[in-house]
Amino acid sequence: EPHWSYAALTRPAVPAPDPKAPVANPIDAFIRAKLAAQNIAPSPPAEPVRLFRRLSLDLTGLPPGPDELAAFTAAAARDPQAALRDATERLLASPRHGERLAVWWLDVARYADTVGFHGDQNQRIFPYRDYVINAFNANKRFDQFTIEQLAGDLLPKPTTEQIVATGYNRLNM
């Protein structure tokens, strides 16, 4: 058989949902089928406040503050789904969301303001960190994001931001 990377992709058949347990989307059908095969019942739905806390931790890395929690609780009392939808949009628009996403990229890029390698000198490269956070917050296209980091200074009439982006190249010996 050919290597898996040369095989054509085929969409698997979605398992038939249990009429007693409707599913919201096809992913739920796969999960329910796997749970049923292992004779495991799904957990009950989480309370809206718990979902909000998880959402905040996932999207920003921070728990909601007391004011946020109070506002969400009041909104969830009226319409839990709308409250979660609005909270999701607000958290995605938060600068903390870009910081949360940037952590993964900066770890891979080996970002650090301190000596990370033997013989590596202390670098003050926080403008590059800010570039990455701002790029995630602006939802910058990935191709542009990588081009600017690898060769931003070689672009025609590079901006200060594109030159700062090339700080990526200073992060490894």
Side-chain angles (χ1 to χ4, degrees), residues 59-83:
L59 295 182
T60 66
L62 301 168
D67 294 341
E68 292 174 299
L69 199 52
F72 177 81
T73 303
R78 293 186 300 276
D79 185 351
Q81 293 301 325

Side-chain angles (χ1 to χ4, degrees), residues 34-60:
K34 186 73 169 179
L35 291 173
Q38 296 179 5
N39 206 20
I40 300 173
S43 299
E47 294 297 317
V49 171
R50 183 172 297 231
L51 289 176
F52 175 57
R53 181 174 167 76
R54 290 176 185 169
L55 184 67
S56 183
L57 287 167
D58 282 347
L59 295 182
T60 66

Side-chain angles (χ1 to χ4, degrees), residues 9-17 26-31 33-34:
L9 296 176
T10 57
R11 186 174 294 274
V14 177
I27 294 171
D28 290 344
F30 284 101
I31 293 170
K34 186 73 169 179

Side-chain angles (χ1 to χ4, degrees), residues 151-168:
D153 57 334
L154 301 177
L155 294 172
K157 297 184 181 173
T159 65
T160 301
E161 178 187 53
Q162 291 168 330
I163 292 171
V164 166
T166 61
Y168 171 84

